[in-house]
Amino acid sequence: MTKGHVPTPPKLAERVVAAVFDQHPPRADDRVLYPGCGTGPFAAAVERVCDEMGLPLPEGVGVDTDPELIDEVKQRDLAHTEFHQRDVLDCGTLSDQSFDYILGNPPYVPIERLSSEEKDRYRSQFQTATGRFDLYLLFFERAVQLLSDGGVLSFVTPEKFEYVGAAEALRQLLTTEGQTVETIRHIEQDAFGELITFPAVTTVRRASSESEPETRIELRDGTTHSVVLPDNGESWASTVRGANLEGMETGVTLSDVTERISPGLATGADSVYVLQREEVPEQVDEQWRRPTVGGSQLPAFRPTETEKLFVCPYDSSGNLATESELGTTATWLSEYSASLESRSCVEKGKRWYAWHETPPMDDVLQPKILFRDIAKEPVFYSEPTGEVVPKHSVYYAVPEQNVSMADLLDYLNSPQVRAWLEANCQRAHNGYYRLQSRVLSELPVPTELASTYQATL
Ligand SMILES: C[S@@+](CC[C@H](N)C(=O)[O-])C[C@H]1O[C@@H](n2cnc3c(N)ncnc32)[C@H](O)[C@@H]1O
């Protein structure tokens, strides 16, 4: 199957081309490359736009790895362009050429869909092939290499290269001396139907700017502003959204729509209380086992199949069971009594098998949203079963009863919230964000989310 063929709607291709040619009108001897040209929407858009704007047609080269698409596009009457079946990411291809324009919609192919051979080859040839990279990042890098001096590239891609860790090297590349990110336009979410979430059109010019290079930003709500993007690879999210973050204020915050936002449970001895699911001894009765999850397991989190279980000596109201209620579970715990007794909470008067912190089970055993206490890229996960007792490294937020969990989760994982968190959370030394409840409580939430809740007050 073709890698990442998501056709661009003709009107969108036309908007991309018109915006580029409006700022940088072509001459007849200019050359334009359509990388991953598919069935040619950008080449067709160039012909229409040049015709409408009374501009000369540049010379085009369209390349795609898919022979069927190349056959198809050759049938179209796109006379200014020659089409070839070529691999743009093969650094030998086109290496003796340069282009004044590079226009397109590169393939979005996550690393999971690449073979080991492809991953190795890309990692050795592209500086942007780091971490969990995606092919469109490499298309950006290749396009920058193929631009002539003063040349312009404009790509439609997911906007997340602005902030994901895997695109750090690309952000650095696009902001090094010699390149200017001229514009980033966040286009309508439905520009590709359901296919791409949060698309953006990014235009980069190969030219040094004398002063600090400014980037014009257009956001989905129609506001525009100019920014200087960070040039050290750090996320652009809060810079790109800048003034727009103020527009998030609604007077309603996350604390208004949740019953609790807290770190998970501290036992003071996770090495005793947390066990691999398959290693829990029979002595620990079912009644005292609770599924749990720690920060590092969250990315693969499945609420009904957590890897780990807590040995939890508390009942579902949060009362510590007596030793006789615990029975063989207490016998098993007593094997570790020396280390359990040495915990500071026991010195301060707690029972030898109590947890460091008494779990507020009424809240914990609710459907909830989980997130890491410290993260490079904040992600929020759904825990709809209400059975998982999170470890201390995982925060949990319990939505008020009438707040839609799905809507709240979508909102929390939106780029706008990402930008807000980046602007407001404390930074750890390694560039990670601390998602403390104090800060999260202040997160503005849309009134629609709160209205279902308020309507029932
Ligand atoms: C997202 S689609 C866009 C197609 C077309 N540009 C459009 O806008 O409708 C990406 C295209 O890139 C092509 N492609 C994927 N990997 C490629 C590579 N390494 N070199 C050239 N083309 C590639 C796919 O076959 C696909 O047609």
Side-chain angles (χ1 to χ4, degrees):
M1 207 194 85
T2 300
K3 278 213 164 88
H5 182 65
V6 180
T8 310
K11 283 280 167 218
L12 174 58
E14 212 169 293
R15 268 166 62 196
V16 172
V17 172
V20 170
F21 285 0
D22 187 50
Q23 291 299 307
H24 307 286
R27 294 179 316 206
D29 59 351
D30 279 344
R31 302 186 73 228
V32 46
L33 174 68
Y34 306 106
C37 60
T39 54
F42 285 90
V46 162
E47 298 206 345
R48 287 196 301 275
V49 170
C50 287
D51 187 39
E52 276 162 29
M53 293 170 85
L55 296 166
L57 267 176
E59 286 170 31
V61 176
V63 293
D64 202 291
T65 37
D66 185 325
E68 285 173 18
L69 295 174
I70 289 293
D71 280 349
E72 206 177 315
V73 70
K74 280 183 175 169
Q75 307 300 316
R76 295 185 72 176
D77 186 22
L78 298 167
H80 78 286
T81 300
E82 283 182 10
F83 293 98
H84 306 282
Q85 185 198 341
R86 293 268 187 333
D87 180 349
V88 183
L89 299 178
D90 172 349
C91 296
T93 301
L94 306 166
S95 56
D96 54 343
Q97 306 190 37
S98 66
F99 297 89
D100 305 290
Y101 303 93
I102 301 183
L103 304 171
N105 163 11
Y108 321 128
V109 181
I111 192 156
E112 296 79 14
R113 291 188 22 223
L114 300 178
S115 68
S116 318
E117 182 276 320
E118 285 170 321
K119 281 187 262 194
D120 291 346
R121 177 156 45 90
Y122 294 145
R123 284 202 176 107
S124 69
Q125 292 178 347
F126 290 90
Q127 70 185 81
T128 53
T130 59
R132 305 186 59 70
F133 67 89
D134 186 302
L135 277 198
Y136 76 89
L137 307 179
L138 279 46
F139 263 62
F140 263 116
E141 178 173 347
R142 187 75 184 121
V144 167
Q145 290 165 358
L146 292 169
L147 275 183
S148 57
D149 277 347
V152 179
L153 80 82
S154 195
F155 277 170
V156 183
T157 67
E159 67 170 45
K160 61 181 181 195
F161 77 91
E162 295 166 12
Y163 46 82
V164 295
E168 187 171 336
L170 177 67
R171 290 192 292 274
Q172 225 155 5
L173 174 77
L174 294 180
T175 49
T176 45
E177 173 71 29
Q179 267 87 248
T180 304
V181 181
E182 290 197 329
T183 56
I184 299 179
R185 296 204 314 276
H186 287 178
I187 57 173
E188 317 78 75
Q189 277 193 57
D190 58 359
F192 286 86
E194 298 278 287
L195 290 167
I196 301 169
T197 44
F198 305 114
V201 179
T202 306
T203 304
V204 179
R205 182 152 188 252
R206 178 138 183 205
S208 301
S209 70
E210 276 157 26
S211 50
E212 268 194 312
E214 290 216 337
T215 303
R216 184 180 153 82
I217 308 288
E218 289 179 28
L219 297 170
R220 270 180 205 101
D221 65 2
T223 58
T224 61
H225 61 135
S226 286
V227 301
V228 176
L229 295 170
D231 62 5
N232 57 0
E234 76 179 37
S235 164
W236 297 348
S238 53
T239 313
V240 164
R241 284 167 189 80
N244 201 250
L245 289 178
E246 279 159 33
M248 285 174 75
E249 295 299 337
T250 57
V252 183
T253 63
L254 189 61
S255 64
D256 294 327
V257 297
T258 50
E259 282 176 21
R260 175 189 271 272
I261 308 170
S262 294
L265 280 306
T267 63
D270 278 0
S271 57
V272 175
Y273 292 107
V274 181
L275 297 172
Q276 285 292 120
R277 186 178 276 272
E278 61 279 4
E279 286 170 6
V280 181
E282 272 179 18
Q283 274 169 295
V284 176
D285 193 83
E286 285 287 342
Q287 190 186 352
W288 311 113
R289 299 177 186 191
R290 300 264 179 203
T292 187
V293 63
S296 59
Q297 296 128 24
L298 265 186
F301 175 60
R302 284 204 298 273
T304 52
E305 295 168 45
T306 61
E307 259 177 61
K308 313 247 178 196
L309 295 179
F310 257 141
V311 178
C312 176
Y314 294 85
D315 69 16
S316 51
S317 303
N319 301 309
L320 183 65
T322 63
E323 285 182 57
S324 71
E325 282 167 337
L326 289 169
T328 53
T329 307
T331 318
W332 180 80
L333 280 168
S334 67
E335 289 171 29
Y336 303 94
S337 59
S339 74
L340 294 179
E341 275 165 12
S342 67
R343 292 172 304 154
S344 59
C345 60
V346 178
E347 281 164 21
K348 287 186 195 136
K350 285 207 165 191
R351 300 297 310 275
W352 64 270
Y353 58 91
W355 283 359
H356 192 79
E357 191 185 358
T358 305
M361 286 301 208
D362 287 343
D363 283 339
V364 175
L365 298 180
Q366 299 287 338
K368 53 197 171 290
I369 288 172
L370 304 180
F371 52 98
R372 271 198 95 147
D373 56 346
I374 172 160
K376 196 159 192 186
E377 291 160 20
V379 181
F380 296 82
Y381 301 84
S382 155
E383 197 289 271
T385 67
E387 287 179 10
V388 176
V389 176
K391 283 174 69 177
H392 195 57
S393 53
V394 169
Y395 270 78
Y396 63 104
V398 183
E400 291 282 356
Q401 240 182 12
N402 295 297
V403 171
S404 151
M405 175 100 147
D407 291 351
L408 181 58
L409 198 70
D410 277 354
Y411 174 66
L412 290 173
N413 283 318
S414 69
Q416 207 175 19
V417 168
R418 169 80 59 99
W420 188 93
L421 293 172
E422 289 181 1
N424 288 278
C425 289
Q426 225 185 51
R427 300 293 282 274
H429 64 280
N430 50 8
Y432 280 55
Y433 298 94
R434 289 185 199 287
L435 294 155
Q436 293 154 311
S437 26
R438 179 178 53 78
V439 179
L440 266 286
S441 304
E442 300 294 316
L443 172 75
V445 299
T447 42
E448 308 88 82
L449 270 176
S451 59
T452 36
Y453 152 65
Q454 278 165 357
T456 60
L457 277 184

